[in-house]
Amino acid sequence: MTIVLTPGSADLAQLEAIWRGNDAVTLDPAARPGIEVAAGIVAAASQGERPVYGVNTGFGKLASIKIPAKDTATLQRNLILSHCCGVGEALEINTTRLMMALKLLSLGGGASGVRWDICAILEGMLATGVTPVIPAQGSVGASGDLAPLAHMAAVMIGHGRAFYHGVEMSGAEALAKAGLTPVVLGAKEGLALINGTQFSTANALAGLFDAWRLAQAAVVTSSMSTDAAMGSTAPLRAEIHALRGHQGQIDVAAAMRGLLEGSVIRESHLEGDTRVQDPYCLRCQPQVTGAALDVLRFAARTLQIEANAVTDNPLVVISDGEIISGGNFHAEPVAFAADQIALAVSEIGAISQRRIALLVDPALSFGLPAFLTPAPGLNSGLMIAEVTSAALMSENKHLANPCSTDSTPTSANQEDHVSMAAHGARRLRRMVQNLSVIVGVEALCAAQGIEARAPLVTSPALTAVMARFRKVVAALGDDRFMAPDLEAAAKLALDGTLLGECKLAIAA
């Protein structure tokens, strides 16, 4: 299967399919005429006497130095090799592929001045399993993601390192195995490849895709916890959420009502329950996770726009043949979006962890055994699983501190304000991994609690969730080696197994 991207119109579903899959990716052929017109304008400028930044000049603080036309190819090659200064562990292959697809989209806007050959080799690499090795550290999120994108471009010209079907080798060898020929860069082409926000945006989108799936899983596990704790469903009534009006809150309450519909456990304590109100972690789940959904939806809109944006510099305005220097490479929108995703992830985990703590505490769980073990004392049950969830919750709180408020001048003060979008987006991977464990531990505790209410049973919808969960993670009797259970539960939270019919649209 091939995913065809139309510049300016790619949607989140396409981008997520690229990230989660391994399909070939191509530009809509209708983009080619505009690309070639812009390339012609740049080619003409490279032969002229008027200095045009990045076409016949040096870069950054060296922009005042005029470069002869005969040195065009050398200028662009040197730019790529000198900017390959990334360090740290390699970016995941699927996120690198998404980054490459985003660069295709940006070049497809017909304002970057590259030849079609540049787009074609990116398409060829995506189709044949050539994925550059991208060191994950080194970008400050303006003047584009220079170092990471330079490592991508280096492979395109036969340098650097690459994975070929998952095996690491030299970029030249990977291209040869795939039957691809390295490109020789023309005027501005190296600059067009490394200027841009595609590294930051790909990482932010990766965080968004997993955060959204985990937010939905948390709606399911919170419903399970509500039944396990014999909580009230009155706070889920549609009327009170309509009175506030926030769409995420309305959506979460509706989803939870559907998930809890028909619970025998719930029906058993409608009368005679001496409790007046549940703790906030049960009662305010729509308000908290609903707010997180709204924040994620806002970030999603920002990132979809950015995914379709042309973000290099200078840009070609083909309607009048001008080449204009600007600042679209500044990743401030992505930095803000990444910080918003981080806040949402942290809060989803924070309220989930409080439900875990409630379920293992016999003073709060309305009759469940201590730490959810059938034989407390001899067995510790889920005591330390709760502690692990608390550790990860606290770690995510620290990681959620904003990155976008930081800046430092670089490049001899030419680039004197930067976005820090790159590490703001990169930290989301660690945060969603932490959240997957927290939500997974909640599923462990809630399933154990629901089963402890037997012969009373939960709703049909949650019974189906429990069945899927128990196929992988067995009920806890005597104490056992717990680490594999936590790992398996986290995977079920992250891979969508827990969701069932609880599917909330990322577009409100």
Side-chain angles (χ1 to χ4, degrees):
M1 178 180 171
T2 298
I3 297 173
V4 179
L5 298 177
T6 301
S9 301
D11 60 31
L12 293 174
Q14 287 180 301
L15 300 176
E16 186 168 5
I18 293 168
W19 185 65
R20 294 198 186 277
N22 199 37
D23 294 323
V25 182
T26 64
L27 280 178
D28 185 333
R32 183 166 183 168
I35 291 171
E36 292 182 333
V37 170
I41 293 169
V42 168
S46 71
Q47 300 300 314
E49 291 301 315
R50 184 173 70 87
V52 179
Y53 175 71
V55 175
N56 54 13
T57 72
F59 307 102
K61 197 72 172 179
L62 305 176
S64 60
I65 300 174
K66 182 79 162 51
I67 306 298
K70 66 181 179 63
D71 292 328
T72 293
T74 302
L75 173 70
Q76 299 299 316
R77 175 184 175 277
N78 288 350
L79 173 70
I80 298 305
L81 299 182
S82 68
H83 282 54
C84 285
C85 292
V87 298
E89 64 181 16
L91 188 64
E92 302 81 14
I93 286 177
N94 61 335
T95 305
T96 302
R97 283 175 47 81
L98 178 57
M99 181 186 79
M100 295 164 69
L102 294 178
K103 179 54 75 174
L104 256 183
L105 269 174
S106 185
L107 299 178
S112 299
V114 303
R115 295 163 298 153
W116 183 257
D117 290 354
I118 303 300
C119 301
I121 192 168
L122 276 171
E123 291 178 341
M125 291 163 67
L126 285 163
T128 58
V130 177
T131 309
V133 175
I134 309 295
Q137 293 171 276
S139 174
V140 294
S143 168
D145 293 315
L146 295 171
L149 290 170
H151 283 273
M152 177 194 76
V155 174
M156 297 168 66
I157 64 174
H159 290 267
R161 304 287 296 175
F163 297 106
Y164 180 65
H165 294 293
V167 179
E168 185 177 342
M169 59 192 70
S170 73
E173 185 181 2
L175 291 179
K177 284 181 177 293
L180 299 172
T181 302
V183 294
V184 177
L185 298 174
K188 192 189 173 292
E189 289 178 340
L191 188 60
L193 287 170
I194 69 170
N195 245 191
T197 66
Q198 288 76 37
F199 174 86
S200 296
T201 305
N203 278 278
L205 283 167
L208 173 72
F209 296 146
D210 274 347
W212 187 259
R213 184 171 280 182
L214 289 168
Q216 295 175 89
V219 173
V220 175
T221 57
S222 67
S223 301
M224 294 169 66
S225 293
T226 298
D227 234 14
M230 287 191 159
S232 173
T233 55
L236 302 177
R237 285 185 55 171
E239 296 91 336
I240 65 173
H241 301 288
L243 285 169
R244 197 172 198 190
H246 292 295
Q247 190 60 51
Q249 176 179 330
I250 291 167
D251 290 346
V252 171
M256 292 182 70
R257 287 196 304 273
L259 287 164
L260 286 160
E261 179 69 32
S263 168
V264 177
I265 295 174
R266 175 61 188 131
E267 294 298 320
S268 73
H269 62 100
L270 284 173
E271 302 292 338
D273 193 332
T274 58
R275 296 171 296 173
V276 177
Q277 292 183 327
D278 291 324
Y280 290 178
C281 66
L282 297 180
R283 187 164 26 122
C284 298
Q285 167 70 347
Q287 287 82 356
V288 176
T289 297
L293 292 192
D294 286 338
V295 167
L296 291 174
R297 283 168 170 160
F298 183 87
R301 289 193 293 273
T302 297
L303 294 176
Q304 181 168 330
I305 292 168
E306 189 71 10
N308 285 282
V310 181
T311 56
D312 61 288
N313 179 63
L315 296 176
V316 182
V317 180
I318 61 175
S319 59
D320 57 16
E322 284 193 81
I323 302 174
I324 303 172
S325 284
N328 280 6
F329 50 72
H330 199 296
E332 196 80 356
V334 182
F336 283 157
D339 281 346
Q340 290 162 342
I341 295 167
L343 289 171
V345 167
S346 180
E347 281 299 279
I348 293 167
I351 196 168
S352 173
Q353 201 284 325
R354 296 319 303 153
R355 291 189 294 269
I356 296 167
L358 180 150
L359 291 174
V360 301
D361 186 347
L364 299 173
S365 65
F366 201 58
L368 293 176
F371 303 106
L372 297 166
T373 175
L378 179 62
N379 293 292
S380 295
L382 293 167
M383 178 189 294
I384 304 305
E386 185 269 329
V387 174
T388 296
S389 73
L392 299 181
M393 172 192 70
S394 189
E395 185 174 299
N396 272 1
K397 288 178 180 178
H398 288 282
L399 289 169
N401 281 294
C403 296
S404 58
T405 53
D406 188 18
S407 180
T408 188
T410 61
S411 193
N413 278 300
Q414 176 75 4
E415 297 153 10
D416 59 351
H417 181 278
V418 298
S419 72
M420 298 300 180
H423 67 265
R426 264 197 315 114
R427 57 77 139 91
L428 296 176
R429 178 171 180 263
R430 183 170 160 193
M431 291 189 72
V432 296
Q433 287 173 335
N434 288 346
L435 179 59
S436 72
V437 176
I438 296 169
V439 175
V441 170
E442 183 177 9
L444 276 171
C445 293
Q448 192 82 0
I450 287 171
E451 288 165 346
R453 300 296 184 188
L456 302 176
V457 294
T458 190
S459 67
L462 292 180
T463 297
V465 173
M466 297 263 294
R468 293 194 297 274
F469 187 74
R470 286 295 183 228
K471 282 183 179 179
V472 180
V473 182
L476 183 63
D478 290 336
D479 283 350
R480 62 177 184 249
F481 185 59
M482 288 299 298
D485 289 351
L486 269 64
E487 183 179 351
K491 185 175 185 297
L492 293 173
L494 199 53
D495 70 10
T497 297
L498 295 181
L499 300 187
E501 299 305 311
C502 181
K503 302 288 176 62
L504 298 171
I506 198 166

